Amino acid sequence: MTAPPPPRRRFPPPWRAEELDESYVVRDASGQALAYIYFEDEPTRQSSTKRVSKDEARRLAVNFAKLPELLRAKD
């Protein structure tokens, strides 16, 4: 006999992007952190740490936070 599948986790919308010191965090409506996107604006460090620029990180976080809206519009 197989065990029942675990319940699906839900991440209630709306999702939001918040700026931290060296990253952006995307959180769901309950405050659960869904993703951290780290940035570095100093070109030398950016290359060595393999991080995106602050502007790129912001755009990624904002677009990630739009996923629930985009998926709902698709239905």
Side-chain angles (χ1 to χ4, degrees):
M1 188 158 105
T2 62
R8 291 182 60 187
R9 289 191 65 180
R10 295 286 178 195
F11 305 105
W15 293 1
R16 64 190 184 283
E18 300 173 4
E19 183 180 345
L20 302 177
D21 288 337
E22 59 183 29
S23 67
Y24 282 87
V25 59
V26 178
R27 296 185 187 277
D28 69 8
S30 69
Q32 172 70 38
L34 305 176
Y36 286 87
I37 303 167
Y38 290 89
F39 60 82
E40 177 61 62
D41 273 334
E42 184 185 318
T44 309
R45 286 191 45 129
Q46 185 178 7
S47 176
S48 67
T49 60
K50 306 282 193 238
R51 291 185 178 178
V52 296
S53 71
K54 184 175 183 178
D55 185 55
E56 290 168 325
R58 181 192 58 77
R59 286 184 286 153
L60 286 165
V62 166
N63 286 323
F64 189 95
K66 290 179 186 176
L67 280 175
E69 297 169 34
L70 296 172
L71 293 173
R72 195 174 22 246
K74 207 174 163 184
D75 292 338

